[in-house]
Coordinates of all heavy atoms in Angstrom, one line a residue:
M1 N 43.6 -44.7 26.3 CA 42.2 -44.3 26.3 C 41.7 -44.2 24.8 O 40.6 -44.6 24.6 CB 42.1 -43.0 27.1 CG 40.6 -42.6 27.2 SD 39.7 -43.6 28.3 CE 38.5 -42.5 28.9
S2 N 42.4 -43.5 24.0 CA 41.9 -43.4 22.6 C 41.8 -44.7 21.9 O 40.9 -44.8 21.0 CB 42.9 -42.5 21.8 OG 44.1 -43.1 21.6
N3 N 42.6 -45.7 22.3 CA 42.4 -47.0 21.7 C 41.0 -47.6 22.1 O 40.4 -48.3 21.2 CB 43.5 -48.0 22.1 CG 43.7 -49.2 21.2 OD1 43.3 -49.2 20.1 ND2 44.3 -50.2 21.8
D4 N 40.6 -47.4 23.3 CA 39.3 -47.9 23.7 C 38.2 -47.2 22.9 O 37.2 -47.8 22.5 CB 39.1 -47.6 25.2 CG 39.9 -48.5 26.1 OD1 40.3 -49.6 25.6 OD2 40.1 -48.2 27.3
I5 N 38.3 -45.9 22.7 CA 37.3 -45.2 21.9 C 37.3 -45.6 20.5 O 36.3 -45.9 19.9 CB 37.6 -43.6 22.0 CG1 37.3 -43.2 23.4 CG2 36.7 -42.9 21.0 CD1 37.8 -41.7 23.7
E6 N 38.5 -45.8 19.9 CA 38.6 -46.4 18.5 C 38.0 -47.8 18.4 O 37.2 -48.0 17.5 CB 40.0 -46.4 18.1 CG 40.6 -45.1 17.8 CD 42.1 -45.1 17.4 OE1 42.6 -46.2 17.0 OE2 42.8 -44.1 17.6
D7 N 38.3 -48.6 19.4 CA 37.7 -50.0 19.4 C 36.2 -49.9 19.5 O 35.5 -50.6 18.8 CB 38.3 -50.8 20.6 CG 39.7 -51.3 20.3 OD1 40.2 -51.1 19.2 OD2 40.2 -52.0 21.2
T8 N 35.7 -49.0 20.4 CA 34.2 -48.9 20.6 C 33.6 -48.5 19.2 O 32.6 -49.1 18.8 CB 33.9 -47.9 21.7 OG1 34.5 -48.4 22.9 CG2 32.4 -47.8 21.8
G9 N 34.2 -47.6 18.6 CA 33.6 -47.1 17.3 C 33.7 -48.2 16.3 O 32.7 -48.4 15.5
M10 N 34.8 -48.9 16.2 CA 34.9 -50.0 15.3 C 33.9 -51.2 15.6 O 33.3 -51.7 14.7 CB 36.3 -50.6 15.3 CG 36.6 -51.6 14.2 SD 38.3 -52.1 14.0 CE 39.0 -50.6 13.3
I11 N 33.8 -51.5 16.8 CA 32.8 -52.6 17.2 C 31.4 -52.2 16.8 O 30.7 -53.0 16.3 CB 32.9 -52.8 18.7 CG1 34.3 -53.5 19.1 CG2 31.7 -53.7 19.2 CD1 34.6 -53.6 20.5
E12 N 31.0 -50.9 17.1 CA 29.7 -50.5 16.7 C 29.5 -50.5 15.2 O 28.4 -51.0 14.7 CB 29.5 -49.0 17.2 CG 29.3 -48.9 18.7 CD 29.2 -47.5 19.2 OE1 29.2 -46.6 18.4 OE2 29.0 -47.3 20.4
A13 N 30.5 -50.1 14.4 CA 30.4 -50.2 13.0 C 30.3 -51.6 12.5 O 29.4 -51.9 11.6 CB 31.5 -49.5 12.3
L14 N 31.1 -52.5 13.0 CA 31.1 -53.9 12.6 C 29.7 -54.6 13.0 O 29.2 -55.3 12.2 CB 32.2 -54.7 13.2 CG 33.6 -54.4 12.7 CD1 34.7 -55.0 13.6 CD2 33.7 -54.8 11.3
L15 N 29.2 -54.3 14.2 CA 27.9 -54.9 14.6 C 26.8 -54.3 13.7 O 25.9 -55.1 13.4 CB 27.7 -54.6 16.1 CG 28.6 -55.4 17.0 CD1 28.3 -55.0 18.5 CD2 28.4 -56.9 16.8
Q16 N 26.8 -53.1 13.4 CA 25.8 -52.5 12.5 C 25.8 -53.1 11.1 O 24.8 -53.5 10.6 CB 25.9 -51.0 12.4 CG 24.8 -50.4 11.6 CD 24.8 -48.9 11.6 OE1 25.6 -48.2 12.2 NE2 23.8 -48.3 11.0
R17 N 27.0 -53.3 10.6 CA 27.2 -53.9 9.3 C 26.7 -55.4 9.3 O 26.0 -55.8 8.4 CB 28.6 -53.9 8.8 CG 28.8 -54.5 7.4 CD 30.2 -54.6 6.9 NE 31.0 -53.4 7.1 CZ 32.3 -53.3 6.9 NH1 32.9 -54.4 6.5 NH2 32.9 -52.2 7.1
L18 N 27.0 -56.1 10.4 CA 26.6 -57.4 10.6 C 25.1 -57.5 10.6 O 24.5 -58.3 9.9 CB 27.2 -58.0 11.9 CG 26.7 -59.4 12.2 CD1 27.2 -60.4 11.2 CD2 27.2 -59.8 13.6
N19 N 24.4 -56.7 11.4 CA 23.0 -56.7 11.6 C 22.2 -56.3 10.4 O 21.2 -56.8 10.0 CB 22.6 -55.8 12.8 CG 22.8 -56.5 14.1 OD1 22.8 -57.7 14.3 ND2 23.2 -55.7 15.1
D20 N 22.8 -55.2 9.7 CA 22.0 -54.6 8.6 C 22.3 -55.3 7.2 O 21.4 -55.3 6.4 CB 22.4 -53.1 8.4 CG 21.9 -52.3 9.6 OD1 21.1 -52.8 10.4 OD2 22.4 -51.2 9.7
F21 N 23.5 -55.9 7.1 CA 23.8 -56.4 5.7 C 24.3 -57.8 5.8 O 23.8 -58.6 5.0 CB 24.9 -55.5 5.1 CG 24.6 -54.1 5.0 CD1 25.1 -53.1 5.8 CD2 23.6 -53.7 4.1 CE1 24.7 -51.8 5.7 CE2 23.2 -52.3 4.0 CZ 23.8 -51.4 4.8
R22 N 25.3 -58.1 6.5 CA 26.0 -59.4 6.5 C 25.1 -60.5 6.9 O 24.9 -61.5 6.2 CB 27.3 -59.4 7.3 CG 28.3 -58.4 7.0 CD 29.1 -58.9 5.8 NE 30.3 -58.1 5.7 CZ 30.9 -57.9 4.5 NH1 30.5 -58.5 3.4 NH2 32.0 -57.1 4.4
L23 N 24.5 -60.4 8.1 CA 23.7 -61.6 8.7 C 22.5 -61.8 7.8 O 22.2 -63.0 7.5 CB 23.4 -61.3 10.1 CG 22.7 -62.5 10.8 CD1 23.6 -63.7 10.8 CD2 22.5 -62.1 12.3
P24 N 21.7 -60.8 7.4 CA 20.6 -61.2 6.6 C 21.0 -61.9 5.3 O 20.3 -62.9 4.9 CB 19.9 -59.8 6.3 CG 20.3 -59.0 7.4 CD 21.7 -59.4 7.8
R25 N 22.0 -61.5 4.6 CA 22.4 -62.1 3.4 C 23.0 -63.5 3.7 O 22.8 -64.4 2.9 CB 23.5 -61.3 2.7 CG 23.8 -61.9 1.3 CD 24.3 -61.0 0.3 NE 24.6 -61.7 -0.9 CZ 25.4 -61.3 -1.8 NH1 26.0 -60.1 -1.7 NH2 25.7 -62.0 -2.9
L26 N 23.7 -63.7 4.8 CA 24.3 -65.0 5.1 C 23.1 -66.0 5.4 O 23.2 -67.1 4.9 CB 25.2 -64.9 6.3 CG 26.6 -64.3 6.1 CD1 27.2 -64.0 7.4 CD2 27.4 -65.3 5.3
L27 N 22.1 -65.5 6.1 CA 21.0 -66.4 6.4 C 20.2 -66.7 5.2 O 19.7 -67.9 5.0 CB 20.1 -65.8 7.5 CG 20.7 -65.6 8.9 CD1 19.8 -64.8 9.8 CD2 21.1 -67.0 9.4
E28 N 20.0 -65.8 4.3 CA 19.4 -66.1 3.0 C 20.2 -67.0 2.2 O 19.6 -68.0 1.6 CB 19.2 -64.7 2.2 CG 18.4 -64.9 0.9 CD 19.4 -65.1 -0.3 OE1 20.5 -64.6 -0.2 OE2 18.9 -65.7 -1.2
L29 N 21.5 -66.9 2.2 CA 22.4 -67.8 1.4 C 22.3 -69.2 2.0 O 22.2 -70.2 1.3 CB 23.8 -67.3 1.4 CG 24.8 -68.0 0.6 CD1 24.4 -68.2 -0.8 CD2 26.2 -67.3 0.7
K30 N 22.3 -69.3 3.4 CA 22.2 -70.6 4.0 C 20.8 -71.3 3.6 O 20.8 -72.5 3.4 CB 22.3 -70.4 5.5 CG 22.2 -71.8 6.2 CD 22.5 -71.7 7.7 CE 22.6 -73.0 8.4 NZ 21.7 -74.1 7.9
E31 N 19.8 -70.5 3.6 CA 18.5 -71.1 3.2 C 18.6 -71.7 1.8 O 18.1 -72.8 1.5 CB 17.4 -70.1 3.2 CG 16.9 -69.7 4.6 CD 15.8 -68.7 4.7 OE1 15.2 -68.4 3.6 OE2 15.6 -68.1 5.7
R32 N 19.2 -70.9 0.9 CA 19.3 -71.4 -0.5 C 20.2 -72.7 -0.6 O 19.8 -73.6 -1.3 CB 19.9 -70.3 -1.4 CG 18.9 -69.2 -1.6 CD 19.3 -68.1 -2.6 NE 20.5 -68.4 -3.4 CZ 21.5 -67.6 -3.5 NH1 21.6 -66.5 -2.8 NH2 22.5 -67.9 -4.3
V33 N 21.3 -72.7 0.0 CA 22.2 -73.9 -0.1 C 21.5 -75.1 0.6 O 21.7 -76.2 0.2 CB 23.6 -73.7 0.4 CG1 24.3 -72.6 -0.5 CG2 23.7 -73.3 1.8
D34 N 20.8 -74.8 1.7 CA 20.1 -75.9 2.4 C 19.0 -76.5 1.5 O 18.6 -77.7 1.6 CB 19.4 -75.4 3.7 CG 20.4 -75.2 4.8 OD1 21.6 -75.7 4.7 OD2 20.1 -74.6 5.8
R35 N 18.5 -75.7 0.5 CA 17.5 -76.2 -0.4 C 18.2 -76.9 -1.6 O 17.5 -77.4 -2.5 CB 16.7 -75.1 -1.0 CG 15.7 -74.5 -0.1 CD 14.7 -73.6 -0.8 NE 15.3 -72.5 -1.6 CZ 15.4 -71.3 -1.2 NH1 15.0 -70.9 0.0 NH2 16.0 -70.4 -2.0
G36 N 19.5 -77.0 -1.6 CA 20.2 -77.7 -2.6 C 20.7 -76.8 -3.8 O 21.3 -77.3 -4.7
E37 N 20.6 -75.5 -3.6 CA 21.0 -74.6 -4.7 C 22.5 -74.4 -4.6 O 23.1 -74.6 -3.5 CB 20.3 -73.2 -4.5 CG 18.8 -73.3 -4.7 CD 18.2 -71.9 -4.6 OE1 18.8 -70.9 -4.8 OE2 17.0 -71.9 -4.2
T38 N 23.1 -74.0 -5.7 CA 24.6 -73.7 -5.7 C 24.7 -72.2 -5.5 O 23.8 -71.4 -5.7 CB 25.2 -74.1 -7.0 OG1 24.6 -73.5 -8.1 CG2 25.1 -75.7 -7.1
M39 N 25.9 -71.8 -5.2 CA 26.2 -70.4 -5.0 C 26.6 -69.7 -6.4 O 27.3 -70.4 -7.2 CB 27.3 -70.2 -4.0 CG 27.0 -70.6 -2.6 SD 28.1 -70.0 -1.3 CE 29.7 -70.5 -1.9
S40 N 26.3 -68.5 -6.5 CA 26.7 -67.7 -7.7 C 28.0 -67.1 -7.5 O 28.6 -67.1 -6.3 CB 25.6 -66.6 -8.0 OG 25.7 -65.6 -6.9
D41 N 28.6 -66.5 -8.5 CA 29.9 -65.8 -8.4 C 29.8 -64.7 -7.4 O 30.7 -64.4 -6.6 CB 30.4 -65.3 -9.7 CG 30.8 -66.4 -10.6 OD1 31.1 -67.5 -10.2 OD2 30.9 -66.1 -11.9
S42 N 28.7 -64.0 -7.4 CA 28.5 -62.9 -6.4 C 28.4 -63.4 -5.0 O 28.8 -62.7 -4.0 CB 27.3 -62.0 -6.8 OG 26.1 -62.7 -6.7
D43 N 27.8 -64.6 -4.8 CA 27.7 -65.2 -3.5 C 29.1 -65.5 -3.0 O 29.4 -65.2 -1.8 CB 26.9 -66.5 -3.5 CG 25.4 -66.2 -3.8 OD1 24.9 -65.2 -3.4 OD2 24.8 -67.2 -4.3
I44 N 29.9 -66.0 -3.8 CA 31.3 -66.4 -3.5 C 32.1 -65.1 -3.1 O 32.8 -65.1 -2.1 CB 32.0 -67.2 -4.6 CG1 31.2 -68.6 -4.7 CG2 33.4 -67.4 -4.3 CD1 31.6 -69.4 -5.9
E45 N 31.9 -64.1 -4.0 CA 32.6 -62.8 -3.7 C 32.2 -62.2 -2.3 O 33.0 -61.7 -1.6 CB 32.4 -61.8 -4.8 CG 33.1 -62.1 -6.1 CD 32.7 -61.2 -7.2 OE1 32.2 -60.0 -6.9 OE2 32.9 -61.6 -8.4
F46 N 30.9 -62.3 -2.1 CA 30.4 -61.9 -0.8 C 31.0 -62.6 0.4 O 31.5 -62.0 1.4 CB 28.8 -62.0 -0.7 CG 28.2 -61.8 0.6 CD1 28.1 -60.6 1.2 CD2 27.7 -62.9 1.3 CE1 27.6 -60.4 2.4 CE2 27.2 -62.7 2.6 CZ 27.1 -61.5 3.1
L47 N 31.0 -64.0 0.3 CA 31.7 -64.8 1.3 C 33.1 -64.5 1.5 O 33.7 -64.4 2.6 CB 31.4 -66.2 1.1 CG 30.0 -66.8 1.3 CD1 29.9 -68.2 1.0 CD2 29.6 -66.5 2.7
E48 N 33.8 -64.2 0.4 CA 35.2 -63.8 0.5 C 35.4 -62.5 1.2 O 36.3 -62.4 2.1 CB 35.8 -63.7 -0.9 CG 36.1 -65.0 -1.6 CD 36.5 -64.9 -3.0 OE1 36.4 -63.8 -3.6 OE2 36.9 -66.0 -3.6
G49 N 34.5 -61.6 1.0 CA 34.5 -60.3 1.7 C 34.2 -60.5 3.2 O 34.9 -59.8 4.0
V50 N 33.3 -61.4 3.5 CA 33.0 -61.6 4.9 C 34.2 -62.2 5.6 O 34.6 -61.8 6.7 CB 31.8 -62.6 5.0 CG1 31.6 -63.1 6.4 CG2 30.5 -61.9 4.6
L51 N 34.9 -63.1 4.9 CA 36.1 -63.8 5.5 C 37.2 -62.8 5.7 O 37.9 -62.8 6.7 CB 36.5 -64.9 4.6 CG 37.6 -65.8 5.2 CD1 37.2 -66.4 6.5 CD2 38.0 -66.9 4.2
E52 N 37.4 -61.9 4.7 CA 38.4 -60.8 4.9 C 38.1 -59.9 6.1 O 39.0 -59.6 6.8 CB 38.5 -60.0 3.6 CG 39.1 -60.7 2.4 CD 39.0 -60.0 1.1 OE1 38.7 -58.8 1.2 OE2 39.3 -60.6 0.1
D53 N 36.8 -59.5 6.2 CA 36.4 -58.7 7.3 C 36.7 -59.4 8.7 O 37.2 -58.8 9.6 CB 35.0 -58.3 7.3 CG 34.7 -57.2 6.3 OD1 35.7 -56.6 5.8 OD2 33.5 -56.9 6.1
A54 N 36.3 -60.7 8.7 CA 36.6 -61.5 9.9 C 38.0 -61.6 10.3 O 38.4 -61.4 11.4 CB 36.0 -62.9 9.7
H55 N 38.9 -61.7 9.3 CA 40.3 -61.8 9.5 C 40.8 -60.5 10.1 O 41.6 -60.5 11.0 CB 41.0 -62.2 8.2 CG 42.5 -62.3 8.3 ND1 43.1 -63.3 9.1 CD2 43.5 -61.5 7.9 CE1 44.4 -63.1 9.0 NE2 44.7 -62.0 8.3
R56 N 40.3 -59.4 9.5 CA 40.8 -58.1 10.0 C 40.3 -57.8 11.4 O 40.8 -57.0 12.1 CB 40.3 -57.0 9.0 CG 41.1 -56.9 7.8 CD 40.8 -55.6 7.0 NE 39.4 -55.5 6.6 CZ 39.0 -55.9 5.4 NH1 39.8 -56.4 4.5 NH2 37.7 -55.7 5.1
A57 N 39.2 -58.4 11.8 CA 38.6 -58.2 13.1 C 39.2 -59.1 14.2 O 38.9 -58.9 15.4 CB 37.1 -58.4 13.1
V58 N 40.1 -60.0 13.9 CA 40.7 -60.9 14.9 C 41.4 -60.1 16.0 O 41.2 -60.4 17.2 CB 41.6 -61.9 14.2 CG1 42.5 -62.6 15.2 CG2 40.8 -62.9 13.4
P59 N 42.3 -59.1 15.6 CA 42.9 -58.3 16.7 C 41.9 -57.7 17.7 O 42.1 -57.6 18.9 CB 43.8 -57.3 16.0 CG 44.0 -57.9 14.6 CD 42.7 -58.7 14.3
L60 N 40.8 -57.2 17.1 CA 39.8 -56.6 17.9 C 39.1 -57.6 18.8 O 38.9 -57.3 20.0 CB 38.7 -55.9 17.0 CG 37.6 -55.1 17.6 CD1 38.3 -53.9 18.3 CD2 36.6 -54.7 16.6
S61 N 38.9 -58.8 18.3 CA 38.3 -59.8 19.1 C 39.3 -60.3 20.2 O 38.9 -60.7 21.3 CB 37.9 -61.0 18.2 OG 37.4 -62.1 18.9
D62 N 40.6 -60.3 19.9 CA 41.6 -60.7 20.9 C 41.6 -59.7 22.0 O 41.8 -60.1 23.2 CB 43.0 -60.7 20.2 CG 43.1 -61.9 19.3 OD1 42.3 -62.9 19.4 OD2 44.1 -61.9 18.5
R63 N 41.4 -58.4 21.7 CA 41.4 -57.4 22.8 C 40.1 -57.4 23.6 O 40.0 -56.9 24.7 CB 41.6 -56.0 22.2 CG 43.0 -55.8 21.7 CD 43.3 -54.3 21.4 NE 42.4 -53.7 20.4 CZ 42.6 -53.8 19.1 NH1 43.7 -54.4 18.6 NH2 41.8 -53.2 18.3
H64 N 39.0 -57.8 23.0 CA 37.7 -57.8 23.6 C 37.1 -59.2 23.6 O 36.3 -59.6 22.7 CB 36.8 -56.8 22.8 CG 37.3 -55.4 22.9 ND1 37.0 -54.6 23.9 CD2 38.1 -54.7 22.0 CE1 37.6 -53.4 23.7 NE2 38.3 -53.5 22.6
K65 N 37.4 -59.9 24.6 CA 37.0 -61.3 24.7 C 35.5 -61.6 24.6 O 35.0 -62.6 24.2 CB 37.6 -62.0 26.0 CG 39.1 -61.9 26.1 CD 39.8 -62.6 25.1 CE 41.3 -62.6 25.4 NZ 42.1 -62.9 24.2
E66 N 34.7 -60.5 25.0 CA 33.3 -60.7 24.9 C 32.8 -60.8 23.5 O 31.6 -61.3 23.3 CB 32.6 -59.5 25.6 CG 32.7 -58.2 24.9 CD 34.0 -57.4 25.2 OE1 34.9 -57.9 25.8 OE2 34.1 -56.2 24.8
L67 N 33.6 -60.5 22.5 CA 33.2 -60.7 21.1 C 33.4 -62.1 20.6 O 32.9 -62.5 19.5 CB 34.0 -59.7 20.2 CG 33.7 -58.2 20.5 CD1 34.7 -57.4 19.6 CD2 32.3 -57.9 20.2
Q68 N 34.2 -62.9 21.3 CA 34.6 -64.2 20.8 C 33.4 -65.2 20.6 O 33.4 -65.9 19.6 CB 35.7 -64.8 21.7 CG 37.0 -64.0 21.4 CD 38.2 -64.5 22.3 OE1 38.0 -65.3 23.1 NE2 39.3 -63.9 22.0
P69 N 32.4 -65.2 21.5 CA 31.3 -66.1 21.2 C 30.6 -65.7 19.9 O 30.2 -66.6 19.1 CB 30.4 -65.9 22.4 CG 31.3 -65.5 23.5 CD 32.3 -64.6 22.8
L70 N 30.4 -64.4 19.6 CA 29.8 -64.0 18.4 C 30.7 -64.4 17.2 O 30.2 -64.9 16.2 CB 29.6 -62.5 18.4 CG 29.0 -61.9 17.1 CD1 27.6 -62.5 16.8 CD2 28.9 -60.4 17.2
A71 N 32.0 -64.2 17.3 CA 32.9 -64.6 16.2 C 32.8 -66.1 16.0 O 32.9 -66.5 14.8 CB 34.3 -64.1 16.6
A72 N 32.7 -66.9 17.0 CA 32.7 -68.3 16.9 C 31.4 -68.7 16.2 O 31.4 -69.6 15.3 CB 32.8 -69.0 18.2
K73 N 30.3 -68.1 16.5 CA 29.0 -68.4 15.9 C 29.0 -68.0 14.4 O 28.5 -68.7 13.5 CB 27.8 -67.7 16.6 CG 27.5 -68.3 17.9 CD 26.4 -67.6 18.6 CE 26.1 -68.2 20.0 NZ 25.1 -67.5 20.7
M74 N 29.6 -66.9 14.1 CA 29.7 -66.4 12.7 C 30.6 -67.4 11.9 O 30.3 -67.7 10.8 CB 30.2 -65.0 12.6 CG 29.2 -64.0 13.2 SD 27.6 -64.1 12.5 CE 27.9 -63.8 10.8
S75 N 31.7 -67.8 12.5 CA 32.6 -68.8 11.9 C 31.8 -70.1 11.6 O 32.0 -70.7 10.5 CB 33.8 -69.0 12.7 OG 34.6 -70.0 12.2
A76 N 31.0 -70.6 12.5 CA 30.3 -71.8 12.4 C 29.3 -71.6 11.2 O 29.1 -72.6 10.4 CB 29.6 -72.2 13.7
L77 N 28.6 -70.5 11.2 CA 27.6 -70.2 10.1 C 28.3 -70.2 8.7 O 27.8 -70.9 7.8 CB 26.9 -68.9 10.3 CG 25.9 -68.5 9.3 CD1 24.8 -69.5 9.1 CD2 25.3 -67.1 9.6
Y78 N 29.4 -69.6 8.7 CA 30.2 -69.6 7.4 C 30.6 -71.0 7.0 O 30.5 -71.4 5.8 CB 31.5 -68.7 7.6 CG 32.3 -68.5 6.4 CD1 32.1 -67.5 5.5 CD2 33.3 -69.4 6.1 CE1 32.9 -67.3 4.4 CE2 34.1 -69.3 5.0 CZ 33.9 -68.2 4.1 OH 34.7 -68.1 3.0
H79 N 31.1 -71.8 8.0 CA 31.4 -73.1 7.7 C 30.2 -74.0 7.2 O 30.4 -74.7 6.2 CB 32.1 -73.8 8.9 CG 32.3 -75.3 8.7 ND1 33.4 -75.7 7.9 CD2 31.7 -76.4 9.1 CE1 33.4 -77.0 7.9 NE2 32.4 -77.4 8.6
E80 N 29.1 -73.8 7.8 CA 27.9 -74.6 7.4 C 27.5 -74.2 6.0 O 27.2 -75.1 5.2 CB 26.7 -74.2 8.3 CG 26.8 -74.8 9.7 CD 25.7 -74.3 10.6 OE1 24.6 -74.0 10.1 OE2 25.9 -74.2 11.8
I81 N 27.6 -72.9 5.6 CA 27.2 -72.5 4.3 C 28.2 -73.0 3.3 O 27.7 -73.6 2.2 CB 27.2 -70.9 4.2 CG1 26.0 -70.4 5.1 CG2 27.1 -70.5 2.8 CD1 26.0 -68.9 5.3
T82 N 29.5 -72.9 3.5 CA 30.4 -73.4 2.5 C 30.5 -74.9 2.4 O 30.6 -75.4 1.3 CB 31.8 -72.8 2.8 OG1 32.2 -73.2 4.2 CG2 31.9 -71.3 2.7
A83 N 30.3 -75.6 3.5 CA 30.3 -77.1 3.4 C 29.1 -77.5 2.6 O 29.2 -78.4 1.8 CB 30.3 -77.7 4.8
K84 N 27.9 -76.9 2.9 CA 26.7 -77.4 2.1 C 26.8 -76.9 0.7 O 26.4 -77.7 -0.2 CB 25.5 -76.7 2.8 CG 24.2 -77.2 2.2 CD 24.0 -78.7 2.4 CE 22.6 -79.1 1.9 NZ 22.4 -80.5 2.0
A85 N 27.4 -75.8 0.4 CA 27.6 -75.3 -1.0 C 28.5 -76.3 -1.7 O 28.2 -76.6 -2.9 CB 28.1 -73.9 -1.0
L86 N 29.6 -76.7 -1.1 CA 30.5 -77.7 -1.7 C 29.8 -79.0 -2.0 O 29.9 -79.6 -3.1 CB 31.7 -77.9 -0.9 CG 32.7 -76.8 -0.9 CD1 33.8 -77.1 0.2 CD2 33.4 -76.7 -2.2
E87 N 29.0 -79.5 -1.1 CA 28.2 -80.7 -1.3 C 27.2 -80.5 -2.4 O 27.1 -81.4 -3.3 CB 27.4 -81.0 0.0 CG 26.5 -82.2 0.0 CD 25.8 -82.3 1.3 OE1 26.4 -82.2 2.4 OE2 24.6 -82.6 1.2
N88 N 26.6 -79.4 -2.5 CA 25.6 -79.1 -3.7 C 26.4 -79.1 -5.0 O 25.9 -79.6 -6.0 CB 24.9 -77.8 -3.4 CG 24.0 -77.8 -2.3 OD1 23.7 -78.9 -1.7 ND2 23.5 -76.7 -1.8
E89 N 27.5 -78.5 -5.0 CA 28.3 -78.5 -6.3 C 28.7 -79.9 -6.7 O 28.6 -80.2 -7.9 CB 29.6 -77.6 -6.1 CG 29.4 -76.1 -6.0 CD 29.0 -75.6 -7.4 OE1 29.4 -76.1 -8.4 OE2 28.3 -74.5 -7.4
A90 N 29.1 -80.7 -5.7 CA 29.5 -82.1 -6.1 C 28.3 -82.9 -6.6 O 28.4 -83.6 -7.6 CB 30.1 -82.8 -4.8
K91 N 27.1 -82.7 -6.0 CA 25.9 -83.3 -6.5 C 25.6 -82.9 -7.9 O 25.1 -83.7 -8.7 CB 24.7 -83.1 -5.6 CG 24.8 -83.8 -4.3 CD 23.6 -83.5 -3.4 CE 23.7 -84.2 -2.1 NZ 22.6 -83.8 -1.2
N92 N 25.7 -81.6 -8.2 CA 25.4 -81.1 -9.5 C 26.3 -81.5 -10.6 O 26.0 -81.4 -11.8 CB 25.2 -79.6 -9.5 CG 24.0 -79.2 -8.8 OD1 23.0 -79.9 -8.7 ND2 24.0 -78.0 -8.2
K93 N 27.5 -81.9 -10.2 CA 28.5 -82.4 -11.2 C 28.2 -83.8 -11.7 O 28.7 -84.2 -12.8 CB 29.9 -82.3 -10.7 CG 30.5 -80.9 -10.6 CD 31.9 -80.8 -10.2 CE 32.4 -79.4 -10.2 NZ 33.8 -79.3 -9.8
D94 N 27.6 -84.6 -10.9 CA 27.3 -86.0 -11.2 C 26.2 -86.1 -12.2 O 25.4 -85.4 -12.7 CB 26.9 -86.7 -10.0 CG 28.0 -86.9 -9.0 OD1 29.2 -86.7 -9.4 OD2 27.8 -87.1 -7.8

């Protein structure tokens, strides 16, 4: 029972962080790379933090299958951002 309560608290905290901080910055970053801009060092550090958080949340997602569609969408967004950022970096080196 306490595991369910702990999971619920953790899920609420993760969703609040996603809604208030992570998602707005990810969407802003996606807009910038879609315009052809490159990422700054702080952008890269931010994405590394997002990836670390996602990795730590895997066991929680495994226990709560209803979180998996959201996790998949966030993974896809992360991939879109990094793929476009790599493309932009390659263009700027030429």
Side-chain angles (χ1 to χ4, degrees):
M1 184 70 154
S2 67
N3 199 24
D4 288 341
I5 293 170
E6 288 176 22
D7 281 1
T8 299
M10 187 173 288
I11 290 167
E12 288 176 2
L14 288 171
L15 289 176
Q16 183 172 1
R17 183 185 313 172
L18 176 66
N19 285 327
D20 294 347
F21 303 107
R22 301 278 194 208
L23 189 56
R25 184 153 180 206
L26 285 166
L27 293 175
E28 183 268 331
L29 184 54
K30 183 173 184 328
E31 287 178 13
R32 287 186 14 233
V33 297
D34 284 347
R35 287 193 305 260
E37 296 179 30
T38 58
M39 293 194 309
S40 68
D41 289 342
S42 66
D43 293 332
I44 294 168
E45 288 176 22
F46 169 72
L47 287 178
E48 288 172 347
V50 169
L51 189 57
E52 288 173 14
D53 281 355
H55 181 69
R56 285 192 298 266
V58 168
L60 188 62
S61 180
D62 288 344
R63 288 192 302 275
H64 297 275
K65 303 296 185 198
E66 68 275 12
L67 296 175
Q68 291 180 354
L70 177 60
K73 287 180 183 179
M74 294 307 300
S75 178
L77 178 58
Y78 182 90
H79 175 73
E80 288 174 29
I81 291 168
T82 55
K84 186 64 176 176
L86 286 172
E87 181 182 313
N88 294 348
E89 285 289 332
K91 286 180 184 176
N92 286 335
K93 284 185 179 182
D94 294 339

